[in-house]
Amino acid sequence: MNNEAVKILIIEDEKAIAAGLEFNFQEDGFETLIEGDGPSALKAYENNGPWSLVVLDLMLPGMSGYEICKEIRSRNASVPIMVLSAKATGQDKAHAFDCGANQYVTKPFELLEVLSRVRNLIKSYQAQPRAEDTPDSRKRFEFDDIIVDVDQFQVEVSGEVSTLTKMEMQLLKYFLLNEGKVLSRAQIMENVWDQSSDLSTRSIDNFVMRLRRILEPESSSSSYILSVRGTGYRFVKNSAETL
């Protein structure tokens, strides 16, 4: 990996943990900055970037890590955010992902695992093409009586607006960009949520179920997100089409 100009913002109020992370990140050739509270972290994010990765604790003075994650994500949709937290419940993890986190590691953590995840996140981020050069840059989709606003995480169906979580919008956009293709659950896991170990194929089914309810609130069956038995799903914009 080319480590030139790679900067990691460490937002952590436990000084020993922050210092240990900083030492090991610098040993890998990365530049680092430590901030121990929310307001200072956001100021540093704005004034000292661009950043290649944010490492974020959730329990911080000034404001929660969830709030910081949302604020950073509102400024940059793609910079990787790795949560390191002692909060270990499924609800905590789901909330962090909904706020925009890419990875979630619980404390106490294995240092080698964290370093590996950091390298992989940064490598993936560096490999991303410029948004303006890719179909992924599309921010708005319209079909039938549905309008999808990617930036606002909103779906309008017959004039009724629903707000999606970040993960729901990531999945819906992936379906829209791959219209007509049969997508396996493994493909979705690999391409939509950055290899997060905290998600399962069952999680995909739950996300699909929620998207179906949003796209077709009055229908008991889906005309857009079609199930492909034993494989996964296929998205079609033509609501009259079936398998």
Side-chain angles (χ1 to χ4, degrees), residues 36-205:
D37 65 84
S40 298
L42 288 178
K43 185 176 180 180
Y45 180 84
E46 288 291 336
N47 297 333
N48 298 287
W51 301 98
S52 299
L53 178 74
V54 176
V55 176
L56 176 65
D57 187 18
L58 293 179
M59 295 181 286
L60 294 163
M63 61 192 303
S64 74
Y66 297 118
E67 294 174 285
I68 296 169
C69 191
K70 286 182 179 179
E71 288 293 326
I72 291 175
R73 191 54 76 217
S74 70
R75 292 161 169 77
N76 188 316
S78 56
V79 63
I81 300 175
M82 174 188 285
V83 170
L84 296 181
S85 177
K87 298 167 75 69
T89 70
Q91 184 176 4
D92 295 324
K93 295 176 182 179
H95 191 189
F97 285 127
D98 286 345
C99 291
N102 298 91
Q103 297 268 333
Y104 195 112
V105 179
T106 55
K107 300 176 182 177
F109 53 80
E110 292 289 339
L111 179 60
L112 290 179
E113 177 190 353
V114 170
L115 293 175
S116 177
R117 289 186 181 224
V118 164
R119 296 185 196 108
N120 288 332
L121 280 171
I122 292 175
K123 184 177 180 180
S124 176
Y125 182 54
Q126 289 177 328
Q128 292 178 5
R130 298 285 183 182
E132 59 269 26
D133 297 332
T134 71
D136 289 359
S137 62
R138 290 189 60 185
K139 303 299 184 183
R140 184 181 176 91
F141 299 83
E142 296 186 31
F143 55 98
D144 291 346
D145 60 349
I146 296 174
I147 300 172
V148 178
D149 187 325
V150 175
D151 280 345
Q152 297 300 316
F153 293 174
Q154 290 184 341
V155 175
E156 181 178 329
V157 180
S158 301
E160 294 293 325
V161 176
S162 299
T163 300
L164 275 62
T165 67
K166 177 175 183 287
M167 300 182 79
E168 288 168 350
M169 182 55 75
Q170 286 175 325
L171 178 57
L172 178 56
K173 185 177 180 180
Y174 185 67
F175 280 139
L176 288 163
L177 291 173
N178 291 276
E179 181 192 1
K181 298 179 183 178
V182 175
L183 303 171
S184 70
R185 291 174 176 83
Q187 282 178 288
I188 295 171
M189 287 286 292
E190 180 178 356
N191 295 317
V192 179
W193 293 307
D194 199 20
Q195 303 177 16
S196 171
S197 60
D198 296 288
L199 293 174
S200 66
T201 55
R202 181 60 182 166
S203 300
I204 295 172
D205 297 336

Side-chain angles (χ1 to χ4, degrees), residues 212-226:
R212 284 172 167 168
R213 290 172 181 166
I214 290 170
L215 295 175
E216 300 174 274
E218 304 299 327
S219 177
S220 60
S221 61
S222 177
S223 301
Y224 296 112
I225 306 176
L226 308 176

